[in-house]
Amino acid sequence: MDRPISPEELEDLRRLDFDLAAVDEEESYAPSIDTQHTQHTSATGSSSSRIADFFGPEVFQVVLHNPTTAHQLKKFAHSRLCGENLEFLEKVDQYHQSLNQAIKTVFEIHRNFISVDAPNQVNLPNDVTLQINRNLKHVLAKVMPNMESVFLTAQHDIQRLVASDIYPRFVRYQMTSSVTRALATNKNKYAGLGDCFVLTDPNKGDNPIVYASDGFVKVTGYERNEIIPRNCRFLQTRKTDRESVTRIKKSLENPAECVELLLNERKHGEPFWNLLYTAPLYDSAGKLAFFLGGQINVSTTIHNTSDILRILSHGSDDEKTEQRSAPAPPKPARSSLWSSLRRSKQTNGRIPGMESDLLDDLNNMSFKQQKDAFYTAYSKYIIVNAETLLISFFSAGIVELLYPARATNQHSQIPGQEVFKFLSQHSSGNLSRDYKSRVRAAVKAGQAITLDLSLCTRRMMGFETFMTHWTPLKNDQHVTGFVVLTLGSLQDARRD
């Protein structure tokens, strides 16, 4: 320095040093965002603390800042045209990291070169040294806190939006994707997968359950006479997310397919995460006949935050699929199925068992859009009359997926067809005697059965192997009235 420092200047420097040291060098300038204000109820308390909470604020923050899950969440948000929200939060995080690095650098400069006890003190005039320290004090006391709070309100608002809307949809999508894969490979992975169904009757007061599978009885812990004729809401708890319940209610009031992840409770108070699928079923006159409900206890493999991160880290081959457009069906093998559906829609106004508007939209959808629209574990189903084995209802996902293996001159609608005959139209030949006899025996005994079957699909324009799950639905007298046939594709299972 140009002259010896005076006692007054030294005291000023030491006072400034003290003020600087009072600021924690490792303090983070990333504001702590409280997500407790979101509508999702944390699964805590004496009864439900035993299971991991998908929607708790702590888990949400981990997912948001874990590189793998954050990447999948951002990719999902982009596919839903709201990726800018995640990009904004990502940039704000980078901004706060830059502030942290800046304050760390300030401390290093001061400690090593400017302070009274700096080991490598630079040769600066005393008045310059004092001014630098005064400036540092001002920066740390005034400037940095202001810079820290620049995006604070916006960050709160965007995180609130992501936590209450985008993130729950992402969780449902990832959980459904995992269940869809398991449906084709290991249906025992989740309790009730492929065999936990109910039919409810919207034409009766409070839309009661009128048919339930043995799997539903087993998963819920209730006896059949305790299930029929109650409304499905009896499984809800005080901690069940009310927003999810509201969405289910709307899908019932304005009949539509719905997928929700709900916190439910078994008979003896054991909580479980229930992946619920509901869909309206229409009779041949276009009248709403039933609602199909498919339930899966996903808590069997979700025990802690690590399990949640594992599920939410699953990727997809959407990018590859988007680049590989589905080939157009060959003209010579024009499907009579589509023709019959078009005529049916003109005469009846609504396709039995499904939303006619949704089916009509399929012609204008790309392959990826079709796949996203029906990407649920139970979106490909046929409901069969147990006594006659004639098809009563079917899903739009069946029509979107299957393609007739050979041309036929018959133009009958899907409802009313014998189920084995329908499946034969999409297989390489007639179904084997063994396949049909095993299904008939299982239905007669009121037992679920799973068998593999090769079917021709539109997306492959060739044959795929499916696990076909046949699940009897029984009334309060334990008599089988319907059978739900669901398809689990190995092609879906190979995703990721």
PDB file of all heavy atoms in Angstrom, residues 9 21 24 66 144 158 165 202 208 217 220 238 267 335 341 357 376 417 430 440 451 464 474 480 492:
ATOM      1  N   GLU A   9      -8.309   3.830  10.051  1.00  0.00           N
ATOM      2  CA  GLU A   9      -8.584   3.060   8.846  1.00  0.00           C
ATOM      3  C   GLU A   9      -8.563   1.553   9.133  1.00  0.00           C
ATOM      4  O   GLU A   9      -9.373   0.782   8.603  1.00  0.00           O
ATOM      5  CB  GLU A   9      -7.573   3.398   7.746  1.00  0.00           C
ATOM      6  CG  GLU A   9      -7.716   4.806   7.193  1.00  0.00           C
ATOM      7  CD  GLU A   9      -6.588   5.164   6.251  1.00  0.00           C
ATOM      8  OE1 GLU A   9      -5.473   4.630   6.430  1.00  0.00           O
ATOM      9  OE2 GLU A   9      -6.828   5.969   5.330  1.00  0.00           O
ATOM     10  N   ALA A  21     -17.721 -11.239   7.385  1.00  0.00           N
ATOM     11  CA  ALA A  21     -17.662 -12.583   7.943  1.00  0.00           C
ATOM     12  C   ALA A  21     -18.995 -13.016   8.526  1.00  0.00           C
ATOM     13  O   ALA A  21     -19.270 -14.200   8.664  1.00  0.00           O
ATOM     14  CB  ALA A  21     -16.580 -12.655   9.023  1.00  0.00           C
ATOM     15  N   ASP A  24     -22.918 -15.734   5.813  1.00  0.00           N
ATOM     16  CA  ASP A  24     -22.515 -17.126   5.598  1.00  0.00           C
ATOM     17  C   ASP A  24     -22.022 -17.306   4.176  1.00  0.00           C
ATOM     18  O   ASP A  24     -22.745 -17.086   3.217  1.00  0.00           O
ATOM     19  CB  ASP A  24     -23.699 -18.061   5.855  1.00  0.00           C
ATOM     20  CG  ASP A  24     -23.323 -19.532   5.753  1.00  0.00           C
ATOM     21  OD1 ASP A  24     -22.145 -19.818   5.488  1.00  0.00           O
ATOM     22  OD2 ASP A  24     -24.222 -20.372   5.940  1.00  0.00           O
ATOM     23  N   ASN A  66     -34.004 -33.202  -9.447  1.00  0.00           N
ATOM     24  CA  ASN A  66     -33.236 -34.382  -9.849  1.00  0.00           C
ATOM     25  C   ASN A  66     -33.056 -34.333 -11.362  1.00  0.00           C
ATOM     26  O   ASN A  66     -34.031 -34.198 -12.105  1.00  0.00           O
ATOM     27  CB  ASN A  66     -33.994 -35.648  -9.441  1.00  0.00           C
ATOM     28  CG  ASN A  66     -33.313 -36.915  -9.918  1.00  0.00           C
ATOM     29  OD1 ASN A  66     -33.437 -37.289 -11.085  1.00  0.00           O
ATOM     30  ND2 ASN A  66     -32.600 -37.570  -9.026  1.00  0.00           N
ATOM     31  N   MET A 144     -27.182  -7.899  -3.460  1.00  0.00           N
ATOM     32  CA  MET A 144     -27.424  -9.334  -3.600  1.00  0.00           C
ATOM     33  C   MET A 144     -28.824  -9.751  -3.145  1.00  0.00           C
ATOM     34  O   MET A 144     -29.502 -10.503  -3.855  1.00  0.00           O
ATOM     35  CB  MET A 144     -26.358 -10.129  -2.843  1.00  0.00           C
ATOM     36  CG  MET A 144     -25.013 -10.181  -3.554  1.00  0.00           C
ATOM     37  SD  MET A 144     -25.140 -11.071  -5.133  1.00  0.00           S
ATOM     38  CE  MET A 144     -23.424 -11.078  -5.640  1.00  0.00           C
ATOM     39  N   ILE A 158     -45.089 -19.981 -10.878  1.00  0.00           N
ATOM     40  CA  ILE A 158     -44.873 -21.064 -11.842  1.00  0.00           C
ATOM     41  C   ILE A 158     -44.744 -22.405 -11.135  1.00  0.00           C
ATOM     42  O   ILE A 158     -45.273 -23.424 -11.604  1.00  0.00           O
ATOM     43  CB  ILE A 158     -43.640 -20.774 -12.720  1.00  0.00           C
ATOM     44  CG1 ILE A 158     -43.855 -19.503 -13.532  1.00  0.00           C
ATOM     45  CG2 ILE A 158     -43.362 -21.939 -13.646  1.00  0.00           C
ATOM     46  CD1 ILE A 158     -45.085 -19.552 -14.437  1.00  0.00           C
ATOM     47  N   ASP A 165     -50.818 -28.767 -11.479  1.00  0.00           N
ATOM     48  CA  ASP A 165     -51.412 -29.187 -12.757  1.00  0.00           C
ATOM     49  C   ASP A 165     -50.479 -30.072 -13.570  1.00  0.00           C
ATOM     50  O   ASP A 165     -50.763 -31.248 -13.817  1.00  0.00           O
ATOM     51  CB  ASP A 165     -51.805 -27.949 -13.562  1.00  0.00           C
ATOM     52  CG  ASP A 165     -52.443 -28.316 -14.896  1.00  0.00           C
ATOM     53  OD1 ASP A 165     -53.219 -29.280 -14.933  1.00  0.00           O
ATOM     54  OD2 ASP A 165     -52.146 -27.649 -15.897  1.00  0.00           O
ATOM     55  N   PRO A 202     -75.135 -45.990 -14.145  1.00  0.00           N
ATOM     56  CA  PRO A 202     -75.496 -44.579 -14.006  1.00  0.00           C
ATOM     57  C   PRO A 202     -76.995 -44.337 -14.103  1.00  0.00           C
ATOM     58  O   PRO A 202     -77.457 -43.219 -13.817  1.00  0.00           O
ATOM     59  CB  PRO A 202     -74.755 -43.918 -15.175  1.00  0.00           C
ATOM     60  CG  PRO A 202     -74.658 -44.989 -16.207  1.00  0.00           C
ATOM     61  CD  PRO A 202     -74.503 -46.268 -15.440  1.00  0.00           C
ATOM     62  N   PRO A 208     -74.428 -46.885  -8.585  1.00  0.00           N
ATOM     63  CA  PRO A 208     -73.851 -47.928  -7.734  1.00  0.00           C
ATOM     64  C   PRO A 208     -73.093 -48.983  -8.533  1.00  0.00           C
ATOM     65  O   PRO A 208     -73.314 -49.174  -9.727  1.00  0.00           O
ATOM     66  CB  PRO A 208     -75.093 -48.540  -7.081  1.00  0.00           C
ATOM     67  CG  PRO A 208     -76.150 -48.390  -8.136  1.00  0.00           C
ATOM     68  CD  PRO A 208     -75.870 -47.062  -8.796  1.00  0.00           C
ATOM     69  N   VAL A 217     -62.517 -57.469  -5.102  1.00  0.00           N
ATOM     70  CA  VAL A 217     -62.768 -57.934  -3.743  1.00  0.00           C
ATOM     71  C   VAL A 217     -61.449 -58.108  -2.993  1.00  0.00           C
ATOM     72  O   VAL A 217     -61.299 -57.679  -1.838  1.00  0.00           O
ATOM     73  CB  VAL A 217     -63.564 -59.253  -3.759  1.00  0.00           C
ATOM     74  CG1 VAL A 217     -63.679 -59.841  -2.357  1.00  0.00           C
ATOM     75  CG2 VAL A 217     -64.935 -59.034  -4.369  1.00  0.00           C
ATOM     76  N   THR A 220     -59.502 -54.557  -2.391  1.00  0.00           N
ATOM     77  CA  THR A 220     -60.117 -53.644  -1.428  1.00  0.00           C
ATOM     78  C   THR A 220     -60.277 -54.250  -0.043  1.00  0.00           C
ATOM     79  O   THR A 220     -60.385 -53.524   0.946  1.00  0.00           O
ATOM     80  CB  THR A 220     -61.499 -53.199  -1.925  1.00  0.00           C
ATOM     81  OG1 THR A 220     -62.363 -54.336  -2.014  1.00  0.00           O
ATOM     82  CG2 THR A 220     -61.386 -52.525  -3.285  1.00  0.00           C
ATOM     83  N   ARG A 238     -60.154 -39.183   4.045  1.00  0.00           N
ATOM     84  CA  ARG A 238     -60.078 -37.738   4.279  1.00  0.00           C
ATOM     85  C   ARG A 238     -58.879 -37.132   3.568  1.00  0.00           C
ATOM     86  O   ARG A 238     -58.853 -35.934   3.300  1.00  0.00           O
ATOM     87  CB  ARG A 238     -59.985 -37.453   5.778  1.00  0.00           C
ATOM     88  CG  ARG A 238     -61.261 -37.744   6.545  1.00  0.00           C
ATOM     89  CD  ARG A 238     -61.079 -37.462   8.018  1.00  0.00           C
ATOM     90  NE  ARG A 238     -59.990 -38.261   8.571  1.00  0.00           N
ATOM     91  CZ  ARG A 238     -59.485 -38.082   9.794  1.00  0.00           C
ATOM     92  NH1 ARG A 238     -59.960 -37.129  10.568  1.00  0.00           N
ATOM     93  NH2 ARG A 238     -58.511 -38.854  10.230  1.00  0.00           N
ATOM     94  N   LYS A 267     -60.363 -52.051   3.529  1.00  0.00           N
ATOM     95  CA  LYS A 267     -61.390 -52.212   4.554  1.00  0.00           C
ATOM     96  C   LYS A 267     -60.855 -51.946   5.959  1.00  0.00           C
ATOM     97  O   LYS A 267     -61.521 -51.293   6.774  1.00  0.00           O
ATOM     98  CB  LYS A 267     -61.998 -53.621   4.474  1.00  0.00           C
ATOM     99  CG  LYS A 267     -63.083 -53.871   5.510  1.00  0.00           C
ATOM    100  CD  LYS A 267     -63.693 -55.246   5.363  1.00  0.00           C
ATOM    101  CE  LYS A 267     -64.770 -55.476   6.429  1.00  0.00           C
ATOM    102  NZ  LYS A 267     -65.426 -56.793   6.287  1.00  0.00           N
ATOM    103  N   SER A 335     -60.479 -52.450 -44.764  1.00  0.00           N
ATOM    104  CA  SER A 335     -61.127 -53.071 -43.620  1.00  0.00           C
ATOM    105  C   SER A 335     -62.625 -52.845 -43.631  1.00  0.00           C
ATOM    106  O   SER A 335     -63.087 -51.719 -43.687  1.00  0.00           O
ATOM    107  CB  SER A 335     -60.540 -52.491 -42.322  1.00  0.00           C
ATOM    108  OG  SER A 335     -61.291 -52.910 -41.222  1.00  0.00           O
ATOM    109  N   LEU A 341     -68.276 -49.427 -39.007  1.00  0.00           N
ATOM    110  CA  LEU A 341     -68.320 -48.405 -37.972  1.00  0.00           C
ATOM    111  C   LEU A 341     -68.900 -47.115 -38.507  1.00  0.00           C
ATOM    112  O   LEU A 341     -69.659 -46.423 -37.838  1.00  0.00           O
ATOM    113  CB  LEU A 341     -66.916 -48.171 -37.403  1.00  0.00           C
ATOM    114  CG  LEU A 341     -66.376 -49.282 -36.505  1.00  0.00           C
ATOM    115  CD1 LEU A 341     -64.935 -48.989 -36.125  1.00  0.00           C
ATOM    116  CD2 LEU A 341     -67.233 -49.432 -35.271  1.00  0.00           C
ATOM    117  N   ASP A 357     -67.362 -39.500 -31.219  1.00  0.00           N
ATOM    118  CA  ASP A 357     -66.572 -38.332 -31.619  1.00  0.00           C
ATOM    119  C   ASP A 357     -65.087 -38.646 -31.562  1.00  0.00           C
ATOM    120  O   ASP A 357     -64.304 -38.231 -32.418  1.00  0.00           O
ATOM    121  CB  ASP A 357     -66.881 -37.146 -30.711  1.00  0.00           C
ATOM    122  CG  ASP A 357     -68.301 -36.635 -30.916  1.00  0.00           C
ATOM    123  OD1 ASP A 357     -68.878 -36.934 -31.979  1.00  0.00           O
ATOM    124  OD2 ASP A 357     -68.810 -35.956 -30.010  1.00  0.00           O
ATOM    125  N   THR A 376     -53.221 -45.776 -21.969  1.00  0.00           N
ATOM    126  CA  THR A 376     -53.564 -46.188 -20.626  1.00  0.00           C
ATOM    127  C   THR A 376     -53.592 -47.699 -20.593  1.00  0.00           C
ATOM    128  O   THR A 376     -53.822 -48.357 -21.609  1.00  0.00           O
ATOM    129  CB  THR A 376     -54.942 -45.648 -20.200  1.00  0.00           C
ATOM    130  OG1 THR A 376     -55.934 -46.177 -21.073  1.00  0.00           O
ATOM    131  CG2 THR A 376     -54.990 -44.138 -20.250  1.00  0.00           C
ATOM    132  N   GLN A 417     -70.995 -59.545 -32.162  1.00  0.00           N
ATOM    133  CA  GLN A 417     -70.135 -60.589 -32.723  1.00  0.00           C
ATOM    134  C   GLN A 417     -69.675 -61.538 -31.615  1.00  0.00           C
ATOM    135  O   GLN A 417     -69.469 -61.138 -30.467  1.00  0.00           O
ATOM    136  CB  GLN A 417     -68.894 -59.977 -33.384  1.00  0.00           C
ATOM    137  CG  GLN A 417     -69.123 -59.326 -34.723  1.00  0.00           C
ATOM    138  CD  GLN A 417     -67.803 -59.088 -35.437  1.00  0.00           C
ATOM    139  OE1 GLN A 417     -67.054 -60.036 -35.714  1.00  0.00           O
ATOM    140  NE2 GLN A 417     -67.530 -57.822 -35.743  1.00  0.00           N
ATOM    141  N   ASN A 430     -57.743 -69.137 -37.603  1.00  0.00           N
ATOM    142  CA  ASN A 430     -58.724 -69.366 -36.553  1.00  0.00           C
ATOM    143  C   ASN A 430     -58.022 -69.613 -35.215  1.00  0.00           C
ATOM    144  O   ASN A 430     -56.931 -70.195 -35.165  1.00  0.00           O
ATOM    145  CB  ASN A 430     -59.608 -70.564 -36.906  1.00  0.00           C
ATOM    146  CG  ASN A 430     -60.486 -70.271 -38.110  1.00  0.00           C
ATOM    147  OD1 ASN A 430     -60.888 -69.135 -38.338  1.00  0.00           O
ATOM    148  ND2 ASN A 430     -60.784 -71.314 -38.885  1.00  0.00           N
ATOM    149  N   ARG A 440     -63.294 -70.643 -22.242  1.00  0.00           N
ATOM    150  CA  ARG A 440     -64.664 -71.046 -21.898  1.00  0.00           C
ATOM    151  C   ARG A 440     -64.711 -71.690 -20.511  1.00  0.00           C
ATOM    152  O   ARG A 440     -65.622 -71.427 -19.718  1.00  0.00           O
ATOM    153  CB  ARG A 440     -65.190 -72.029 -22.949  1.00  0.00           C
ATOM    154  CG  ARG A 440     -65.575 -71.387 -24.278  1.00  0.00           C
ATOM    155  CD  ARG A 440     -66.425 -72.351 -25.107  1.00  0.00           C
ATOM    156  NE  ARG A 440     -66.855 -71.739 -26.361  1.00  0.00           N
ATOM    157  CZ  ARG A 440     -66.279 -71.950 -27.540  1.00  0.00           C
ATOM    158  NH1 ARG A 440     -65.220 -72.785 -27.625  1.00  0.00           N
ATOM    159  NH2 ARG A 440     -66.732 -71.356 -28.626  1.00  0.00           N
ATOM    160  N   LEU A 451     -53.809 -65.487 -21.208  1.00  0.00           N
ATOM    161  CA  LEU A 451     -53.219 -66.289 -22.287  1.00  0.00           C
ATOM    162  C   LEU A 451     -52.615 -65.353 -23.323  1.00  0.00           C
ATOM    163  O   LEU A 451     -53.120 -64.246 -23.541  1.00  0.00           O
ATOM    164  CB  LEU A 451     -54.298 -67.158 -22.956  1.00  0.00           C
ATOM    165  CG  LEU A 451     -55.039 -68.164 -22.068  1.00  0.00           C
ATOM    166  CD1 LEU A 451     -56.249 -68.718 -22.807  1.00  0.00           C
ATOM    167  CD2 LEU A 451     -54.106 -69.282 -21.632  1.00  0.00           C
ATOM    168  N   GLU A 464     -48.386 -58.777 -33.639  1.00  0.00           N
ATOM    169  CA  GLU A 464     -47.769 -58.530 -32.338  1.00  0.00           C
ATOM    170  C   GLU A 464     -48.290 -59.570 -31.355  1.00  0.00           C
ATOM    171  O   GLU A 464     -49.406 -60.075 -31.495  1.00  0.00           O
ATOM    172  CB  GLU A 464     -48.133 -57.146 -31.806  1.00  0.00           C
ATOM    173  CG  GLU A 464     -47.592 -55.974 -32.594  1.00  0.00           C
ATOM    174  CD  GLU A 464     -47.948 -54.656 -31.934  1.00  0.00           C
ATOM    175  OE1 GLU A 464     -47.918 -54.598 -30.683  1.00  0.00           O
ATOM    176  OE2 GLU A 464     -48.270 -53.696 -32.655  1.00  0.00           O
ATOM    177  N   LYS A 474     -68.890 -60.287 -11.523  1.00  0.00           N
ATOM    178  CA  LYS A 474     -69.980 -61.010 -10.865  1.00  0.00           C
ATOM    179  C   LYS A 474     -70.915 -60.051 -10.135  1.00  0.00           C
ATOM    180  O   LYS A 474     -70.486 -59.008  -9.639  1.00  0.00           O
ATOM    181  CB  LYS A 474     -69.395 -62.023  -9.874  1.00  0.00           C
ATOM    182  CG  LYS A 474     -68.444 -63.020 -10.519  1.00  0.00           C
ATOM    183  CD  LYS A 474     -67.789 -63.929  -9.488  1.00  0.00           C
ATOM    184  CE  LYS A 474     -66.790 -64.884 -10.143  1.00  0.00           C
ATOM    185  NZ  LYS A 474     -66.104 -65.738  -9.146  1.00  0.00           N
ATOM    186  N   THR A 480     -71.573 -64.685 -12.708  1.00  0.00           N
ATOM    187  CA  THR A 480     -70.829 -63.933 -13.713  1.00  0.00           C
ATOM    188  C   THR A 480     -71.768 -63.433 -14.794  1.00  0.00           C
ATOM    189  O   THR A 480     -72.454 -64.227 -15.444  1.00  0.00           O
ATOM    190  CB  THR A 480     -69.728 -64.802 -14.350  1.00  0.00           C
ATOM    191  OG1 THR A 480     -68.847 -65.269 -13.336  1.00  0.00           O
ATOM    192  CG2 THR A 480     -68.938 -63.989 -15.377  1.00  0.00           C
ATOM    193  N   ASP A 492     -45.641 -52.433 -26.357  1.00  0.00           N
ATOM    194  CA  ASP A 492     -45.676 -51.374 -25.353  1.00  0.00           C
ATOM    195  C   ASP A 492     -44.672 -51.658 -24.246  1.00  0.00           C
ATOM    196  O   ASP A 492     -44.050 -50.743 -23.694  1.00  0.00           O
ATOM    197  CB  ASP A 492     -47.075 -51.245 -24.757  1.00  0.00           C
ATOM    198  CG  ASP A 492     -48.070 -50.658 -25.735  1.00  0.00           C
ATOM    199  OD1 ASP A 492     -47.619 -49.933 -26.665  1.00  0.00           O
ATOM    200  OD2 ASP A 492     -49.273 -50.916 -25.604  1.00  0.00           O
TER     201      ASP A 492
END
